[in-house]
Amino acid sequence: MKTISKDSLDKIIGYLKYKGYKVIGPSVRDGAIIYDEISCIEDLPAGWGDEQEAGHYRLRKRNDGALFGYAAGPQSWKKFLFPGKLKLWEAEKNSKGFEITPANGQFPKYAFIGVRSCELHAVFIQDKVFNNGMFSDTYYNKIRKNIFIAAVNCAEAGKTCFCVSMKTGPKAEEGYDIALTEIINQDEHYFVVDEGTPKGSELMEQIESLTSTEEQLAAADDALKNAESNMGRTLETDGIKSLLYKNHANTVWDQIAKRCLSCANCTMVCPTCFCSNVEDVTDLSGDHTERWRTWDSCFNLDYSKVAGGNFRTSIKARYRQWMTHKLASWIDQFGISGCVGCGRCITWCPVGIDITKEVSNIRKSLKN
Amino acid sequence: MIPRQVRVKKIFWETEDVFTLELVSEDYPMSEFYFRPGQFNMLYAFGVGEAAISISSDSAKKNSILHSIHKVGYVTNALSKLKKGDVIGIRGPFGKAWPLEEIKGYDICIMAGGIGLAPLRPSIYYILKHRKQYGKFTLLYGARSPRDMLYPVELEQWAKKHDIHIETIVDRADSMWRGQVGVVTELIDYAELDPERTRSMVCGPEIMMKYSIDELKKNGLNEDQIYLSLERNMKCALGFCGHCQYGPSFVCKEGPVFNFSKVKDIFEIREL
């Protein structure tokens, strides 16, 4: 383990840029922490934290100048690997019929700064989705292959966090090039750095660092323990697959449906939701057409529509599909739960529907 | 995955709202379009979009492929307006096929409703071509009305020239209809099923499949002796877009043909 000063993080960003990476990190925008291109340490949300609850998100000023003193915001890294809108191909009418040209593939080389452990797990999950054994998604895999990941361990947990329940955090255990733990005390602000790959070590060779002292390691450990013991939520995962499979007719779904607006927010903020639609867009001449892939959601009415009817017209069925997929059928499909416990779906639900609470409501309904 | 261009060799109407497209390729060898009975293609109408359509031709036919299409949505509407020589896009074939190898040696009972006969036709061709490798072969087919019956000429020819027992039935008869009136499940007694020796393939509207499966089970068939083909919304056919999820399965990859034992627990859950 190595220790670097706060300012050395700026050098890390600089080095990654020099190496040709498009560096992406957290920034404050429109009253939230979002992920976008950053060029220096000043772009990071220094001194910003957040307060989160079901249906509630506010930034709040911290008094310690922490660069990563916030919990997961509305965006996740999936927007870079699996963009919300992606042109797949275009076609032009010609004398033979039409000619299709694949979209001019640009595959940026990204460096992600500030990936939380839960988010890292979300990437691992989408790795399985977009390489499903039969087919692999070109765009996702080309980007994925080249990303540099600087994980940041959580020193605090948000009120809607439950990574401990999902066994996805708060400590980043694998899959990163470097992992940072931010330590702030009365007179110091530094990072303890773990090198996860040769790529990460190569970077660290360029950065001024010291071998971490026992004290610093203990501080990093304490930070993680603090996050671990302050999870805002818990989700009881024991036997969850059969619980949901067996309870498709539970009245809890009716109760949720009364509140759910079917707005799809939960699926948009979810770092693992992967559903997409394709849209064919034709110009006015009718000779040129483009196919775009866009994020879709199982909450949209059209999602299950076939020409002869619709398989899920009720909101109840759509919510049930989402939650059962996330926590149960995902396990059958990919051998892993689709939930990483980041809590985004709880925070960003406009009516505050809480996935952890609904699971416990189903459990409670069986006891009565 | 990018669609490949194929040309419409022929378009003809089977019924008032079902038409068949015969497709050929000039740019690719037709061997690239070989399929197994029960698989489907994504057909693309320029500027309009794609629809998942099962293949309804003889899989041994090497020079063209046929799709019988129910004109019901905007893509199939656009496809219905094609003319000979027009070009469309195609991706595929996708999906699991009917288990024609596994069910060799058994009596076969096919139950089809309406357009559901289209994805089964390649299996019928196959079994008739390899007739000796199967036992008794029965086709029970129901349609809304005599005019909605698919492939009536072929049905007659099969019955005349081949060793296949065909029974048809319609919901509503017209003045010309001399056959039976009712639903397809009413035909099951004609099949004289020997439950242990029988394997069944079912395709049609879900409600028709439900009652057909009930009837097959009443006649002694086990769940794992029954196969069915399901329809769901499909955008990618690659297991990425999520639309075709049916419980834990992606219908595009693990279906459209399922052994009934795999879906029996979820088959009757509404809006799953």
Side-chain angles (χ1 to χ4, degrees), chain A residues 2-229:
Chain A
K2 288 175 176 167
T3 296
I4 60 168
S5 68
K6 179 188 113 180
D7 294 335
S8 293
L9 184 59
D10 202 41
K11 300 214 168 59
I12 290 181
I13 295 169
Y15 178 77
L16 289 166
K17 273 167 59 188
Y18 161 75
K19 280 288 193 180
Y21 286 101
K22 198 170 179 174
V23 182
I24 309 292
S27 299
V28 172
R29 190 181 302 159
D30 301 332
I33 307 280
I34 55 99
Y35 296 142
D36 204 351
E37 190 162 2
I38 55 169
S39 54
C40 58
I41 196 170
E42 275 75 37
D43 292 336
L44 296 173
W48 284 104
D50 52 47
E51 63 184 46
Q52 301 197 30
E53 246 312 329
H56 178 93
Y57 181 96
R58 294 286 182 281
L59 286 187
R60 66 173 171 87
K61 219 47 191 144
R62 300 172 62 98
N63 55 18
D64 62 358
L67 299 176
F68 299 96
Y70 56 88
Q75 300 186 341
S76 69
W77 306 95
K78 86 171 176 189
K79 74 170 192 170
F80 301 100
L81 285 152
F82 167 51
K85 214 165 183 283
L86 181 71
K87 185 155 94 177
L88 299 179
W89 48 260
E90 50 193 284
E92 203 78 46
K93 255 193 185 148
N94 62 19
S95 56
K96 267 188 74 190
F98 57 87
E99 172 98 32
I100 297 181
T101 323
N104 231 342
Q106 297 234 339
F107 305 102
K109 196 168 129 185
Y110 287 122
F112 292 168
I113 309 288
V115 181
R116 305 297 194 176
S117 179
C118 60
E119 301 185 304
L120 211 44
H121 281 267
V123 174
F124 301 157
I125 289 171
Q126 289 213 326
D127 286 348
K128 289 177 191 273
V129 171
F130 290 113
N131 200 345
N132 62 27
M134 271 172 95
F135 301 101
S136 81
D137 183 75
T138 312
Y139 188 87
Y140 182 95
N141 288 290
K142 280 207 172 160
I143 299 274
R144 177 71 175 97
K145 201 172 60 193
N146 291 320
I147 46 176
F148 183 96
I149 295 182
V152 170
N153 285 318
C154 289
E156 291 170 22
K159 286 268 172 52
T160 56
C161 287
F162 55 103
C163 65
V164 168
S165 301
M166 302 316 295
K167 301 187 175 64
T168 55
K171 186 179 194 304
E173 306 273 6
E174 56 174 346
Y176 51 78
D177 295 295
I178 55 170
L180 311 170
T181 310
E182 186 176 28
I183 309 289
I184 304 168
N185 55 35
Q186 269 145 348
D187 38 32
E188 290 172 303
H189 190 167
Y190 61 91
F191 290 98
V192 172
V193 186
D194 180 33
E195 297 163 10
T197 60
K199 222 171 18 168
S201 304
E202 195 184 305
L203 163 101
M204 287 309 292
E205 275 165 28
Q206 309 297 319
I207 308 297
E208 197 181 319
S209 67
L210 292 166
T211 305
S212 304
T213 63
E214 289 293 320
E215 231 169 31
Q216 290 167 337
L217 292 176
D221 233 31
D222 284 349
L224 274 162
K225 275 196 191 115
N226 177 52
E228 200 173 325
S229 54

Side-chain angles (χ1 to χ4, degrees), chain A residues 126-342:
Chain A
Q126 289 213 326
D127 286 348
K128 289 177 191 273
V129 171
F130 290 113
N131 200 345
N132 62 27
M134 271 172 95
F135 301 101
S136 81
D137 183 75
T138 312
Y139 188 87
Y140 182 95
N141 288 290
K142 280 207 172 160
I143 299 274
R144 177 71 175 97
K145 201 172 60 193
N146 291 320
I147 46 176
F148 183 96
I149 295 182
V152 170
N153 285 318
C154 289
E156 291 170 22
K159 286 268 172 52
T160 56
C161 287
F162 55 103
C163 65
V164 168
S165 301
M166 302 316 295
K167 301 187 175 64
T168 55
K171 186 179 194 304
E173 306 273 6
E174 56 174 346
Y176 51 78
D177 295 295
I178 55 170
L180 311 170
T181 310
E182 186 176 28
I183 309 289
I184 304 168
N185 55 35
Q186 269 145 348
D187 38 32
E188 290 172 303
H189 190 167
Y190 61 91
F191 290 98
V192 172
V193 186
D194 180 33
E195 297 163 10
T197 60
K199 222 171 18 168
S201 304
E202 195 184 305
L203 163 101
M204 287 309 292
E205 275 165 28
Q206 309 297 319
I207 308 297
E208 197 181 319
S209 67
L210 292 166
T211 305
S212 304
T213 63
E214 289 293 320
E215 231 169 31
Q216 290 167 337
L217 292 176
D221 233 31
D222 284 349
L224 274 162
K225 275 196 191 115
N226 177 52
E228 200 173 325
S229 54
N230 284 301
M231 286 285 128
R233 296 279 197 281
T234 50
L235 192 149
E236 173 60 60
T237 57
D238 232 24
I240 194 152
K241 195 174 97 178
S242 70
L243 178 82
L244 292 176
Y245 280 173
K246 281 183 191 150
N247 279 282
H248 58 83
N250 199 298
T251 53
V252 167
W253 303 117
D254 300 285
Q255 291 155 20
I256 299 170
K258 282 187 191 145
R259 290 175 289 145
C260 175
L261 306 173
S262 193
C263 71
N265 259 19
C266 49
T267 54
M268 297 293 107
V269 296
C270 177
T272 68
C273 271
F274 59 82
C275 286
S276 64
N277 198 357
V278 286
E279 282 170 21
D280 290 291
V281 187
T282 307
D283 68 2
L284 283 176
S285 72
D287 293 339
H288 179 85
T289 186
E290 295 179 350
R291 170 160 295 184
W292 288 78
R293 185 185 74 183
T294 55
W295 283 357
D296 200 358
S297 167
C298 51
F299 283 92
N300 292 337
L301 187 55
D302 275 359
Y303 179 85
S304 335
K305 195 175 154 210
V306 292
N310 194 322
F311 291 102
R312 286 182 214 109
T313 51
S314 72
I315 290 181
K316 170 185 158 180
R318 283 179 261 156
Y319 188 90
R320 184 181 66 186
Q321 163 61 24
W322 176 70
M323 192 165 121
T324 308
H325 181 216
K326 189 71 44 187
L327 297 173
S329 40
W330 207 297
I331 299 171
D332 278 333
Q333 292 169 351
F334 304 106
I336 189 170
S337 171
C339 177
V340 295
C342 69

Side-chain angles (χ1 to χ4, degrees), chain B:
Chain B
M1 196 183 260
I2 309 266
R4 293 179 288 190
Q5 286 93 319
V6 284
R7 199 171 285 282
V8 176
K9 189 181 172 197
K10 212 193 266 179
I11 173 167
F12 50 96
W13 290 85
E14 305 278 3
T15 71
E16 221 166 290
D17 55 3
V18 176
F19 62 100
T20 296
L21 285 181
E22 180 171 11
L23 303 170
V24 291
S25 170
E26 290 140 17
D27 303 333
Y28 308 91
M30 280 313 287
S31 59
E32 301 223 356
F33 301 94
Y34 286 175
F35 67 97
R36 285 174 297 132
Q39 288 191 296
F40 66 93
N41 281 315
M42 298 296 287
L43 298 188
Y44 167 65
F46 179 85
V48 181
E50 280 183 321
I53 308 285
S54 61
I55 309 166
S56 49
S57 49
D58 183 347
S59 53
K61 191 174 151 104
K62 301 280 184 225
N63 40 13
S64 70
I65 43 171
L66 274 67
H67 295 80
S68 291
I69 304 166
H70 191 189
K71 181 186 141 190
V72 64
Y74 58 97
V75 175
T76 51
N77 239 298
L79 293 172
S80 77
K81 296 194 176 96
L82 293 168
K83 291 183 296 293
K84 182 183 171 181
D86 285 346
V87 170
I88 63 165
I90 187 169
R91 295 188 295 127
F94 296 114
K96 290 252 163 25
W98 296 107
L100 293 166
E101 283 301 317
E102 293 98 296
I103 61 177
K104 273 188 178 154
Y106 291 100
D107 292 351
I108 307 298
C109 176
I110 288 181
M111 295 182 81
I115 186 79
L117 185 58
L120 280 162
R121 189 166 70 165
S123 294
I124 299 173
Y125 289 133
Y126 185 90
I127 294 170
L128 292 179
K129 199 156 287 171
H130 303 84
R131 188 65 194 85
K132 285 191 183 128
Q133 299 177 39
Y134 297 89
K136 197 170 68 173
F137 185 20
T138 314
L139 167 63
L140 310 177
Y141 180 45
R144 276 175 303 181
S145 74
R147 291 158 61 106
D148 290 309
M149 198 151 270
L150 275 192
Y151 319 131
V153 178
E154 231 173 348
L155 286 168
E156 231 169 85
Q157 283 174 353
W158 287 335
K160 261 188 214 155
K161 294 186 188 159
H162 294 279
D163 179 15
I164 175 173
H165 176 187
I166 300 178
E167 292 290 340
T168 56
I169 194 164
V170 295
D171 295 352
R172 290 183 312 277
D174 57 21
S175 57
M176 300 295 288
W177 181 250
R178 296 285 172 269
Q180 314 192 58
V181 178
V183 291
V184 69
T185 47
E186 291 170 32
L187 299 174
I188 201 138
D189 288 343
Y190 293 99
E192 292 176 351
L193 300 175
D194 175 352
E196 268 172 37
R197 291 195 36 79
T198 302
R199 295 293 178 271
S200 183
M201 296 184 273
V202 185
C203 187
E206 276 190 23
I207 189 75
M208 167 267 167
M209 293 198 281
K210 176 198 148 28
Y211 286 110
S212 300
I213 290 164
D214 283 352
E215 211 55 45
L216 289 165
K217 279 161 61 181
K218 264 187 233 161
N219 275 267
L221 265 74
N222 290 328
E223 278 138 357
D224 62 359
Q225 291 170 255
I226 303 166
Y227 297 84
L228 72 171
S229 180
L230 291 171
E231 182 199 13
R232 281 296 180 274
N233 185 357
M234 287 179 197
K235 295 292 179 194
C236 72
L238 310 170
F240 298 143
C241 80
H243 287 77
C244 68
Q245 281 177 86
Y246 182 58
S249 303
F250 291 91
V251 173
C252 69
K253 274 168 50 199
E254 284 118 278
V257 173
F258 289 92
N259 184 288
F260 183 63
S261 65
K262 189 165 178 206
V263 297
K264 67 181 165 60
D265 293 335
I266 56 175
F267 190 62
E268 291 193 28
I269 301 177
R270 292 196 58 203
E271 291 199 280
L272 186 76

